[in-house]
Amino acid sequence: MKPGEPTKIISLDNLSIGYRSDRKTSKIVKSEISASAHSGELVALIGENGIGKSTLLKTIAGFQQPIQGELRICGKQIVSYTEKELALLMSFVSTEIIRVSNLTVFDLVSLGRFPHTNWFGKLVDQDRTLIEEAIKAVGLSGFEYRMIDHLSDGERQKVMIARTLAQDTQLIILDEPTAYLDLSNKYEIVHLLHRLAHEKGKTILFSTHDLTTAIAESDKLWLMLNDSVEQGAPEDLILNKNLNRLFQNNTLYFDQQLGDFRIPRIKGKEAFLVGEGLALAWTIKALARNGFTQAENAENALIHITVNYPTWSVCTLSHEEEFDSLFSLCRYLNTI
Amino acid sequence: MGKIELNTNTYATREFRVLLLFSLLVPLFFLLDLLIGSYYISAAEILKAIFRSENSDSQVLLIINNFRIPKAITAILTGAALSVAGLQMQTVFRNPLAGPDILGVSSGASLGVALLVLGTGGLLGGTMVTYASSWGIVAAAWVGSGLILLLIMLIATKVKEIMTILILGILISSGIFSIVNILQYFSDESTLKSFVIWTMGSLGSVTNLQLAVLLPSVLIGILIAFLSSKFLDAFLLGENYAQTMGMNIRFARMLVFLSTAILAGSITAFCGPIGFIGIAVPHIARMSLRTAKHSLLIPCSILIGALMMLISDIFSQLPGSEKTLPINSVTALLGIPIVIWIIIKNKNNNRL
C-alpha cells in the first residue's frame, strides 16, 4: 500500500452486531454502527464496559456473523471470504494470555506464516526472513530462542504483534492489547502500533480503556456510546464534546484541557497561591485533590500559600507554618 | 545474526541428539524384552532366531515368533499409539492432564467392545478369534472412543476450566464403567470370563492374527497425526487464533479426533485399558526436546512411548520369576509419579 493514497479497508454501514441463538432469534448488542478505517491508520475503539466493543471486534475478525447491515473488508462483504482468504487480509490478537511452555519466540511468530506455508508448515527462506523482520520490527531481536513463558507481559504482547506482522496482513485487530500492562509498556505498545500503521501502511484497529494513550497516538477513534457510534480524530471528538458523552451515567467528567477523565471534586475551600514553575503546578494539583481551588485575589482568601520549593509556607488568620513536602502541607490543610 | 545462527545450530543438535538417543534405546530394550520371560532363552539363541539361522531350536523359534516378538511389537505399538493420542488431546484441549484414559476415551472404547462382545456372545479370548472378528472389535472400539471424544469436546466448549473438564471426564468414565458392569451382570459365564480377562489388560494376549489388524490401525492413526502436525501447532494458541490464521477448525479437529479415536481405540480393543502412558509421555517429550513443534514432538513421543512400554513389560515379567504382573499396574506405577510432578509444577498456571 503506497502512502499518500489511503484505501478503505474496513467499512461498517448500518451494522447490527450480536449473538444469533438460532436462525430466527438473535440478541442484538448494538445496532446502526457506521464507521470506517483506511490504510495507514491506527484506530482506537473506545467505550464503556459491556457496550459491545468485544462483540464488534469479534464480528470484524469473523468469529461472529453480522446480524444486519454491511461489513466490508477491503471492499468485499466479510461473509463472502473463506477462512483462508480472510487470514491473508486480517490477523488478530485476543485478550487471552498465551501460556505454553517450551514454545520459543521464533516458533510462535512463525505460526503467523500458517496461511502462507504448505500442508506441513515448512518454512522456506522467504518465510524465515519475514519472521526475523517481524521480530526486529517489535524490537525483540536477540529474543528469538527465548521461551515465551519466560517473557514479561509487555514482551509477550510484542511477540503476539510480531506474529501478526509475520502473517503479513493489511489489517490487524487487537482486543485490549494493553489490558495487563504497566504504564510504560502501555505507551510503548500503543506507540509501536502507531509506528507500524504509519511506516508499513497497515490498518490497525484496537480496543482500549486507556484514553490518554489512545488520544495521543491514534489517528481515529471509534467511540461507542449508548445511543450512537461516533468516529473522528481524537481532537475532533474532544472539540465537538462527543468524548464527554462517554461516561454519561457516571460521576466522571472529561477535562477538555487535560484530555482525560476526572472525578469532579466538591469545591468549597479557597487558597491564594504565590509561586512559579513546576512546583506551583503540582501544588495546584495537590490542593485540588484536597478540595481547594485557587483564589482569584489575595484579599478574599483566608489561606495564603507561598511556594518556594523545596519549602511551602502557609499563612492563615491565626497561624503561619512552614512545610518541607506537599504531603505534610496537605495533611495540615485538612486539619483546618 | 551470527548469534542467532549459532542458537539454531545448538537447538537443532539438541533435537537430533534426543531423537538419536531414543531411537537407539528402543531396539536395545526391544531385544531385552525378548530376552525376558518365564522360559529361559539365551541372548545368542534369540539373535539366531531373529536372523533365521538354520540351526536354531524349533521350540525356541516357536516361543520367540509366536509369543515374545508379537508381545514386544505390541508393547511398542501400545506405547507409540497411546502417547501420540495423549499428545494430540493435550494440545487440542490445551490441558496438560488430558489423556485417553483420564477423559474417558479408553472407557468409551471399552463400552464399544463390551457391547459387541457381550452382545454377540464372546468374540474375544474364545476359540473363534478370526481376522474379521478382530476388525469388528477394533471398529467397535473406534466408534466408542470417537463418541466420547465428541461428548468431551461439547463439554469443553461450555466449560473452560481445566479441572472441571477433568472431573467431568472422570465422571463420564465411571458412568461408562457402570454401564459395562450392568452389561456383564446380564451376560453368561463364559462371555463374562473372556471380557473380564480383557479388562485386566495384557500385551501377551495379542496374537499374530490380531497384530495384523493392530499394526495397520496404529500406523494409520500415526500417519493422520503426522498430517495434522501443522494444525496441532496452531491449536496451541487456541481455536480463535487458529481460525484467524486461516485454519478450518472443524476439519482440523476432525482429523485429530479421528487419529486419537483410532489410536486409543485400537490399543484398548486388544490390550485392554492401559493408563498413564498417554498423559506422561508427551510431557517427557516436551521436556527433553524443549520444543512445542508437533513435527518433532510426534516422533519423540512415539519413541519414548515405545520405550516406556517395553520397560513396563520387562518389569511386569518380574525378571527371575515365572509370575507376570498386570501391565496396567506397572504403567500406573511408572506414570503416576510423572503426573503428580506435572500437577505440582503447574499448580499456579495451567499450561502445556
Side-chain angles (χ1 to χ4, degrees), chain A residues 62-63 83 87 92-94 96 99 101-102 107 111 114-115 117-119 121 144-145 149 160 163 167, chain B residues 4 7-8 94 227 230 233-234 237 240-241 243-248 251 286 290-293 351-352:
Chain A
F63 299 127
E83 277 149 353
F92 176 75
V93 176
S94 76
E96 186 191 5
R99 295 193 189 284
S101 40
N102 296 318
D107 286 344
L111 280 175
F114 191 99
T117 53
N118 69 3
W119 181 285
E144 283 85 349
Y145 296 97
D149 56 344
M160 296 314 289
R163 192 195 54 87
Q167 201 172 331
Chain B
I4 293 160
N7 272 333
T8 327
R94 302 173 79 199
L227 289 175
K230 179 180 171 181
D233 286 348
L237 301 188
N240 279 356
Y241 276 114
Q243 188 189 324
T244 58
M245 291 189 294
M247 185 167 97
N248 183 335
F251 174 71
R286 283 188 204 100
R290 310 247 305 134
T291 185
K293 272 153 71 179
R351 67 173 89 160
L352 274 181

Side-chain angles (χ1 to χ4, degrees), chain B residues 192-259:
Chain B
L192 185 63
K193 194 183 166 205
S194 66
F195 187 76
V196 168
I197 289 169
W198 174 81
T199 56
M200 283 180 181
S202 156
L203 301 175
S205 61
V206 178
T207 60
N208 275 328
L209 194 82
Q210 290 172 324
L211 207 54
V213 174
L214 187 60
L215 182 70
S217 307
V218 170
L219 288 182
I220 287 169
I222 286 176
L223 179 73
I224 299 174
F226 265 112
L227 289 175
S228 339
S229 55
K230 179 180 171 181
F231 300 142
L232 288 165
D233 286 348
F235 269 124
L236 279 178
L237 301 188
E239 297 193 350
N240 279 356
Y241 276 114
Q243 188 189 324
T244 58
M245 291 189 294
M247 185 167 97
N248 183 335
I249 303 280
R250 283 184 183 190
F251 174 71
R253 203 195 278 150
M254 192 206 71
L255 268 190
V256 171
F257 281 7
L258 189 67
S259 164

Side-chain angles (χ1 to χ4, degrees), chain B residues 122-309:
Chain B
L123 286 165
L124 276 166
T127 48
M128 289 299 289
V129 181
T130 63
Y131 191 62
S133 72
S134 300
W135 277 112
I137 287 164
V138 163
W142 291 350
V143 171
S145 48
L147 287 177
I148 295 302
L149 264 173
L150 287 179
L151 182 64
I152 299 280
M153 191 69 234
L154 270 179
I155 293 172
T157 56
K158 303 266 175 210
V159 186
K160 294 283 173 224
E161 232 278 309
I162 286 177
M163 287 302 162
T164 317
I165 294 173
L166 289 182
I167 291 166
L168 290 172
I170 291 164
L171 287 176
I172 290 171
S173 293
S174 314
I176 290 169
F177 275 122
S178 313
I179 297 172
V180 173
N181 280 337
I182 292 170
L183 285 175
Q184 290 178 8
Y185 185 79
F186 287 109
S187 55
D188 65 67
E189 205 175 318
S190 65
T191 339
L192 185 63
K193 194 183 166 205
S194 66
F195 187 76
V196 168
I197 289 169
W198 174 81
T199 56
M200 283 180 181
S202 156
L203 301 175
S205 61
V206 178
T207 60
N208 275 328
L209 194 82
Q210 290 172 324
L211 207 54
V213 174
L214 187 60
L215 182 70
S217 307
V218 170
L219 288 182
I220 287 169
I222 286 176
L223 179 73
I224 299 174
F226 265 112
L227 289 175
S228 339
S229 55
K230 179 180 171 181
F231 300 142
L232 288 165
D233 286 348
F235 269 124
L236 279 178
L237 301 188
E239 297 193 350
N240 279 356
Y241 276 114
Q243 188 189 324
T244 58
M245 291 189 294
M247 185 167 97
N248 183 335
I249 303 280
R250 283 184 183 190
F251 174 71
R253 203 195 278 150
M254 192 206 71
L255 268 190
V256 171
F257 281 7
L258 189 67
S259 164
T260 309
I262 289 176
L263 290 171
S266 310
I267 296 303
T268 312
F270 290 125
C271 309
I274 291 175
F276 298 101
I277 292 290
I279 307 178
V281 170
H283 288 279
I284 306 173
R286 283 188 204 100
M287 252 187 11
S288 42
L289 284 178
R290 310 247 305 134
T291 185
K293 272 153 71 179
H294 288 81
S295 52
L296 289 165
L297 285 176
I298 292 170
C300 195
S301 297
I302 290 172
L303 292 172
I304 296 175
L307 191 64
M308 284 270 285
M309 275 316 288

